[in-house]
Amino acid sequence: RRPEAYVEHFRALFEEALRRRTRSAFPVGCLLSGGLDSSSITALAASHGTAVEAFTAFSQDPASDERRYARQVCQAAGIPHWEFTGTCDDPLQGLDELLRDVESPLVSTDRNASVLTALLHSRRCRVVLTGEGGDHLLDEDGYLADLIVRARPARFLRETRQFAKWYGVSAGEIGTSALQVALPVAPKTWAKRMLRR
């Protein structure tokens, strides 16, 4: 009935989703890029009294380094913040030490993932939260899915072609992605089961 009700309802859902995911006897790790999604998750988790530690992978390129935003979030929330870079010329450099730190035979070839795994292990984090996918409802998939749900096929086709042209991919690829977002959970679950068989 009021525009503010959308914000209030979203906040209630967001807090409940976060509360359910942070039940742990160990610290909760947050992969904090400094962007809106991971910053919101990290700050809200910390505000609930959860033992939170933030982990930021940073780029050596000054134009892509967003550590200052991540640092501001951690300072405001009063939580530990760990920064690391996984960039290295030789991906095998220090592999023996890394295997010893991770204590697992499964080590990703992605240096960031390997360093992060070692860091999380050393800090005893058993639950890890990220902002990954947080903007999917606000990007083209969510926008196009809304057009499907609101039964606007002509506009959906026109906009899908425009997005495909912009990204340099096929309209089918963009349209399929939007359809996946628009489908209710039950048909998606059924389709996955059928595909597995």
Side-chain angles (χ1 to χ4, degrees), residues 86-155:
T87 308
C88 122
D89 295 331
D90 179 4
L92 299 179
Q93 179 186 347
L95 186 60
D96 290 339
E97 294 81 11
L98 185 61
L99 283 166
R100 205 170 17 259
D101 289 343
V102 175
E103 295 180 1
S104 166
L106 301 174
V107 177
S108 169
T109 54
D110 174 9
R111 190 72 176 173
N112 274 350
S114 300
V115 172
L116 174 62
T117 302
L119 256 176
L120 289 166
H121 180 78
S122 72
R123 301 303 303 164
R124 300 178 58 232
C125 295
R126 301 293 187 267
V127 173
V128 181
L129 303 175
T130 76
E132 186 69 31
D135 56 359
H136 284 183
L137 291 177
L138 304 175
D139 64 7
E140 68 275 1
D141 290 340
Y143 169 69
L144 293 172
D146 281 345
L147 294 178
I148 294 168
V149 171
R150 293 188 314 207
R152 300 227 173 125
R155 188 166 178 185

Side-chain angles (χ1 to χ4, degrees), residues 19-41:
R19 187 186 61 74
R20 290 182 180 196
R21 286 163 176 80
T22 54
R23 291 180 295 195
S24 177
F26 299 93
V28 171
C30 289
L31 305 189
L32 176 62
S33 67
L36 291 176
D37 301 321
S38 62
S39 296
S40 299
I41 290 168

